Amino acid sequence: WLLLDDENMVLRTDIYCILLLLLSGTAWGDIEVTKTGDAVVDSKALTIRGGFGQGINGLAFQQDAVVSHRGYQYVGYYDASRQVCLARRELPGGEWAIVRFADYQFTSNDAHNTISIGVCPQDDTIHLAFDHHGHPLHYRVSRKAAVRNPQRTAWEASLFGPVMSELEQGKPIKITYPRFWQTPDGGLQFCYRQGGSGNGDRMLVDYEPDTGTWVDTRQIDSRGGLFQDDMGESRSRCSYPNGYNYGPRGRLHATWVWRESSQGSNHDLIYTYSEDGGKTWFNNLGESLSEPAHVNSPGVAVVNINRAHGLMNTHGQAVDSQGRVHVVMSVSYTHLT
């Protein structure tokens, strides 16, 4: 467990030992989880075989498969007929109603191609991005106010527009790992990887609720730079983010690991933050970065973690009420000695 102090911008590395305790099982006695119930969305959801695993619904790197808004919960998934589905229920235990989009067929057996959901509180639109692994964007959005009064709104496919391959008009994109998150003022942002594993950049786009359009696509980290260690040399990479979260004072926090093109292994914990919604970024020392963060950027690596540890791709992150950033990271047991 790693914690970044938002006030002093100092990594409290003494907490890192808790990760090792959890891996060894010695600290589990202090943790209790109470099950409150089950909810079956669809008894015939899709399971895939081949490609990159059997899972396609509810994977660890999926951001997000489940969102809640105005007392309702929304789940995006593929059903057994390979249709994109969006289900909703009234919390805490309402019946699930399902929209099955018959105009798009999911044909892949690639578990990377998950569904991501976003809700914009300002205009009560719900957004879907789905079926990507370096593929053209598949995106659709509801009409405005579609999730404002769910009790009075029929849950049907006609609430949504067509599948689109671009966010900004005239700029088609190819993406991997889509994710949405809300801004402090009730807006919405969209992030994705451009390029491939070990050779990609993260891009960020802003949604404008007043016009229902996306604007200002920009790069927020870079594949560039030279990395050298005992395993070799690498001249390109990509980030695998743990999360992008706003703190209580409107600061956007980002942490990630680097995946190098050489040896295909991950390393280090990287941290940057932004005070203006991801337009300009600062390192852990509070210094402004003049270009998107890359492997040679000063002050962004807050914990040096060797590639031999087998860091996994995407971990977990949260920001607490005091603006402190919490990160849980995991390693592959095959790399432990």
Side-chain angles (χ1 to χ4, degrees), residues 95-203:
E95 294 294 321
W96 290 100
I98 303 171
V99 170
R100 303 179 193 271
F101 295 100
D103 61 348
Y104 187 90
Q105 189 75 11
F106 176 66
T107 61
S108 173
N109 284 326
D110 187 342
H112 290 86
N113 297 30
T114 56
I115 298 173
S116 184
I117 306 173
V119 171
C120 179
Q122 280 195 34
D123 67 357
D124 291 291
T125 49
I126 186 164
H127 305 246
L128 293 176
F130 49 91
D131 195 10
H132 316 99
H133 191 190
H135 298 104
L137 175 70
H138 304 119
Y139 163 80
R140 71 193 320 155
V141 58
S142 74
R143 67 180 185 226
K144 292 190 175 187
V147 293
R148 181 168 298 162
N149 297 296
Q151 301 94 334
R152 305 176 193 171
T153 305
W155 192 237
E156 54 192 24
S158 61
L159 283 172
F160 294 82
V163 177
M164 296 181 285
S165 61
E166 58 188 33
L167 297 178
E168 291 195 78
Q169 188 173 1
K171 298 179 180 180
I173 52 178
K174 293 183 178 181
I175 76 168
T176 306
Y177 300 129
R179 59 171 70 201
F180 299 93
W181 62 79
Q182 295 175 1
T183 62
D185 63 355
L188 191 68
Q189 294 181 304
F190 182 70
C191 183
Y192 59 92
R193 187 180 74 193
Q194 176 180 270
S197 176
N199 189 32
D201 310 310
R202 296 282 163 176
M203 311 297 291

Side-chain angles (χ1 to χ4, degrees), residues 13-294:
T13 54
D14 56 304
I15 303 178
Y16 184 66
C17 63
I18 297 178
L19 173 63
L20 302 180
L21 291 173
L22 291 176
L23 286 174
S24 65
T26 58
W28 286 112
D30 298 328
I31 299 174
E32 293 184 5
V33 177
T34 301
K35 181 179 177 179
T36 59
D38 293 314
V40 177
V41 181
D42 189 333
S43 62
K44 295 183 179 180
L46 180 63
T47 299
I48 61 174
R49 287 178 171 80
F52 293 87
Q54 298 187 21
I56 188 63
N57 295 312
L59 292 176
F61 58 82
Q62 191 172 358
Q63 307 288 325
D64 286 299
V66 182
V67 298
S68 298
H69 180 68
R70 296 189 185 274
Y72 271 66
Q73 192 170 58
Y74 300 86
V75 175
Y77 70 98
Y78 300 105
D79 67 11
S81 299
R82 291 181 168 266
Q83 293 177 317
V84 175
C85 298
L86 185 60
R88 76 171 187 184
R89 68 166 177 170
E90 186 173 9
L91 293 171
E95 294 294 321
W96 290 100
I98 303 171
V99 170
R100 303 179 193 271
F101 295 100
D103 61 348
Y104 187 90
Q105 189 75 11
F106 176 66
T107 61
S108 173
N109 284 326
D110 187 342
H112 290 86
N113 297 30
T114 56
I115 298 173
S116 184
I117 306 173
V119 171
C120 179
Q122 280 195 34
D123 67 357
D124 291 291
T125 49
I126 186 164
H127 305 246
L128 293 176
F130 49 91
D131 195 10
H132 316 99
H133 191 190
H135 298 104
L137 175 70
H138 304 119
Y139 163 80
R140 71 193 320 155
V141 58
S142 74
R143 67 180 185 226
K144 292 190 175 187
V147 293
R148 181 168 298 162
N149 297 296
Q151 301 94 334
R152 305 176 193 171
T153 305
W155 192 237
E156 54 192 24
S158 61
L159 283 172
F160 294 82
V163 177
M164 296 181 285
S165 61
E166 58 188 33
L167 297 178
E168 291 195 78
Q169 188 173 1
K171 298 179 180 180
I173 52 178
K174 293 183 178 181
I175 76 168
T176 306
Y177 300 129
R179 59 171 70 201
F180 299 93
W181 62 79
Q182 295 175 1
T183 62
D185 63 355
L188 191 68
Q189 294 181 304
F190 182 70
C191 183
Y192 59 92
R193 187 180 74 193
Q194 176 180 270
S197 176
N199 189 32
D201 310 310
R202 296 282 163 176
M203 311 297 291
L204 181 61
V205 197
D206 300 322
Y207 178 69
E208 290 196 338
D210 291 342
T211 61
T213 58
W214 292 89
V215 299
D216 195 18
T217 298
R218 56 201 181 274
Q219 184 179 343
I220 59 173
D221 71 35
S222 170
R223 70 187 78 186
L226 172 64
F227 179 78
Q228 295 174 299
D229 64 3
D230 293 340
M231 296 178 69
E233 180 181 290
S234 174
R235 295 184 179 274
S236 70
R237 65 211 42 84
C238 72
S239 64
Y240 278 102
N242 305 314
Y244 301 89
N245 300 96
Y246 280 97
R249 291 179 292 278
R251 176 176 288 174
L252 177 59
H253 302 269
T255 69
W256 67 87
V257 301
W258 290 120
R259 161 66 66 87
E260 296 296 328
S261 59
S262 168
Q263 302 294 328
S265 298
N266 302 337
H267 64 92
D268 295 341
L269 175 65
I270 311 301
Y271 173 72
T272 61
Y273 70 92
S274 175
E275 304 281 15
D276 58 4
K279 292 179 173 59
T280 57
W281 292 85
F282 297 84
N283 66 14
N284 189 50
L285 303 175
E287 300 166 339
S288 178
L289 298 174
S290 60
E291 56 187 344
H294 54 80

